[in-house]
């Protein structure tokens, strides 16, 4: 799977998780699609005026063929001169509009990376420094414009932009978004960060997969809890770590209930670890048909995992008996 997380094997137009686009927003999105498609499909042979990019027929065909391969679905957009025209005339689903926007965002990012050597030296004779600088700035302005349209129009989607990808994802609570942005923004490229990022993408991205996301959440928590609780056990799991926290005295979070009747062995973070572990059905199926994880359950596990990872990083989960050498 590439870094833009396209779902392969989807033979029909997307219908699930559809978000209705209001009329007052649709016009702005179609205008953006038109501008973005011209930008990613500009005629390389007519690139002589920085202020007048023109759609290239061959370039557009190449991009639409790429779109077909990534969605593995026949694309009807070839029938019109621009995709925005087709979308406005043929009454396609709102999901298809968002899907094509997502594709254009990925193409803008891919081309920017290629021009700047992310994939290696460019062999394109049209890539001069001046052109690259103009195209980079123009691409960023187009993406900035989309962010403004989505925000002002109250879209359920936001634009996620990093140095490696650019894609739509569901808008979440600003407090949680700030917390995860701060966590993902750390310089360390640790296993738990990678697992949490994959889980986040599969929950809030355009292609949700809650089973996959939950498995990544479990791996993220294991990556921080197992070395902390069982540093000498190379086969440690959440289950074994939770058992150690329950049996070994002194495990606690930075704050715990003062009332002894409310206290639990291993501290309440052990309960959080066990909750994530016990709801992972792929590891704890008891036979029969399993019930698919819901968006609500997976979000709950992700938010809890973010807190656990942050707490371990900041040294907020400790064991008094170990500190005393017990």
């Amino acid at each position: 799977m590439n870094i833009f997380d396209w779902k392969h094997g989807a033979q029909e137009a997307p219908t699930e998780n559809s978000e209705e686009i209001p009329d007052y927003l649709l016009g702005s999105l179609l205008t953006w699609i038109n501008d973005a498609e011209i930008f990613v499909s500009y005629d390389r042979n007519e690139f002589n005026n920085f202020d007048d990019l023109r759609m290239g027929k061959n370039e557009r065909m190449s991009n639409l063929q790429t779109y077909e391969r990534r969605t593995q679905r026949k694309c009807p957009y070839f029938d019109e001169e621009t995709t925005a025209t087709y979308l406005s005339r043929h009454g396609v689903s709102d999901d298809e509009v968002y899907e094509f926007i997502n594709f254009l965002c990925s193409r803008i990012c891919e081309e920017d990376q290629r021009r700047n050597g992310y994939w290696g030296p460019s062999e394109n004779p049209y890539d001069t420094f001046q052109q690259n600088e103009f195209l980079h700035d123009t691409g960023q302005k187009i993406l900035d414009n989309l962010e403004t349209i989505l925000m002002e129009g109250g879209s359920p989607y936001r634009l996620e932009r990093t140095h490696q990808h650019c894609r739509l994802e569901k808008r979440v609570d600003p407090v949680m978004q700030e917390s995860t942005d701060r966590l993902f923004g750390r310089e360390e490229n640790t296993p738990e960060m990678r697992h949490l990022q994959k889980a986040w993408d599969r929950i809030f991205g355009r292609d949700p997969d809650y089973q996959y996301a939950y498995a990544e959440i479990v791996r993220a928590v294991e990556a921080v809890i197992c070395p902390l609780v069982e540093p000498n056990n190379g086969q440690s799991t959440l289950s074994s770590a939770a058992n150690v926290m329950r049996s070994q005295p002194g495990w606690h979070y930075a704050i715990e209930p003062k009332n002894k009747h409310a206290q639990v062995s291993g501290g309440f973070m052990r309960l959080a670890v066990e909750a994530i572990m016990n709801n992972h059905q792929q590891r704890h199926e008891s036979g029969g048909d399993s019930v698919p994880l819901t968006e609500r359950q997976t979000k709950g596990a992700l938010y809890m995992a973010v807190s656990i990872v942050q707490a371990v990083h900041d040294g907020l989960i400790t064991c008094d008996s170990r500190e005393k050498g017990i």
Side-chain angles (χ1 to χ4, degrees), residues 285-306:
E285 290 182 351
S286 57
D289 295 331
S290 61
V291 179
L293 289 162
T294 65
E295 179 181 6
R296 177 184 175 86
Q297 289 173 312
T298 313
K299 279 185 179 179
L302 175 66
Y303 295 165
M304 193 176 291
V306 169

Side-chain angles (χ1 to χ4, degrees), residues 140-153:
Q140 295 307 303
K141 289 177 182 177
I142 290 174
L143 294 175
D144 290 344
N145 186 34
L146 178 60
E147 284 188 307
T148 300
I149 292 171
L150 295 173
M151 181 182 64
E152 292 180 345

Side-chain angles (χ1 to χ4, degrees), residues 167-181:
R167 59 188 169 219
L168 295 179
E169 66 176 28
K170 288 185 178 178
R171 199 175 299 278
V172 300
D173 178 79
V175 175
M176 177 51 65
Q177 185 70 58
E178 182 180 355
S179 175
T180 53
D181 285 347

Side-chain angles (χ1 to χ4, degrees), residues 28-311:
S28 296
L29 290 177
L30 291 176
T31 299
W32 184 89
I33 288 174
N34 187 70
D35 293 343
E37 186 174 36
I38 291 175
F39 177 71
V40 300
S41 304
Y42 71 90
D43 190 336
R44 270 60 171 174
N45 294 319
E46 296 293 332
F47 189 68
N48 52 20
N49 185 346
F50 286 173
D51 296 323
D52 186 26
L53 291 179
R54 298 183 181 182
M55 185 88 78
K57 183 177 180 180
N58 292 334
E59 288 80 2
R60 178 171 182 261
M61 179 178 294
S62 176
N63 274 310
L64 291 181
Q65 289 171 340
T66 299
Y67 179 71
E68 285 185 319
R69 292 193 300 272
R70 294 185 180 183
T71 59
Q72 294 194 359
R73 192 175 65 248
K74 182 64 178 176
C75 174
Y77 305 156
F78 296 94
D79 297 340
E80 299 283 358
E81 290 187 2
T82 70
T83 299
T85 301
Y86 183 95
L87 294 173
S88 64
R89 289 180 177 177
H90 294 271
V92 299
S93 71
D94 295 340
D95 263 354
E96 287 184 83
V97 175
Y98 277 127
E99 183 182 64
F100 197 70
I101 289 173
N102 202 45
F103 169 73
L104 291 173
C105 289
S106 72
R107 291 294 297 124
I108 291 173
C109 183
E110 288 171 338
E111 284 299 298
D112 197 50
Q113 291 170 347
R114 180 190 59 77
R115 285 191 297 268
N116 288 279
Y118 185 84
W119 303 113
S122 172
E123 297 179 357
N124 190 329
Y126 299 105
D127 285 352
T128 66
F129 176 79
Q130 189 176 14
Q131 289 175 352
N132 283 353
E133 187 175 34
F134 163 76
L135 291 170
H136 171 78
D137 292 344
T138 303
Q140 295 307 303
K141 289 177 182 177
I142 290 174
L143 294 175
D144 290 344
N145 186 34
L146 178 60
E147 284 188 307
T148 300
I149 292 171
L150 295 173
M151 181 182 64
E152 292 180 345
S155 170
Y157 291 99
R158 63 184 288 271
L159 191 60
E160 168 69 7
R161 298 163 71 173
T162 73
H163 70 285
Q164 288 187 331
H165 66 244
C166 179
R167 59 188 169 219
L168 295 179
E169 66 176 28
K170 288 185 178 178
R171 199 175 299 278
V172 300
D173 178 79
V175 175
M176 177 51 65
Q177 185 70 58
E178 182 180 355
S179 175
T180 53
D181 285 347
R182 184 168 58 251
L183 185 62
F184 294 154
R186 289 174 179 258
E187 292 183 0
E188 313 96 74
N189 183 23
T190 58
E192 62 269 22
M193 296 297 194
R194 293 194 293 271
H195 291 309
L196 283 178
Q197 184 67 67
K198 289 179 181 179
W200 182 278
D201 294 342
R202 285 308 182 91
I203 295 173
F204 299 109
R206 288 281 303 153
D207 181 24
D209 185 336
Y210 303 128
Q211 295 291 142
Y212 179 95
Y214 206 102
E216 290 298 322
I217 291 168
V218 171
R219 294 186 184 106
V221 177
E222 282 183 334
V224 293
I225 287 294
C226 292
L228 175 68
V229 178
E230 298 185 283
N232 298 320
N233 181 5
Q235 303 300 317
S236 177
T237 65
L238 286 191
S239 179
S240 64
N243 288 334
V244 170
M245 294 179 76
R246 185 188 300 110
S247 61
Q248 189 176 44
W251 282 101
H252 60 84
Y253 183 57
I255 58 170
E256 294 283 350
K258 296 295 185 181
N259 188 332
K260 290 187 177 181
H261 296 290
Q263 296 175 0
V264 296
S265 58
F268 76 84
M269 274 298 183
R270 175 184 65 80
L271 299 181
V273 169
E274 288 194 342
I276 291 175
M277 173 190 69
N278 291 336
N279 283 277
H280 189 207
Q281 294 171 329
Q282 290 182 345
R283 292 192 180 186
H284 302 281
E285 290 182 351
S286 57
D289 295 331
S290 61
V291 179
L293 289 162
T294 65
E295 179 181 6
R296 177 184 175 86
Q297 289 173 312
T298 313
K299 279 185 179 179
L302 175 66
Y303 295 165
M304 193 176 291
V306 169
S307 298
I308 292 172
V309 170
Q310 187 73 64

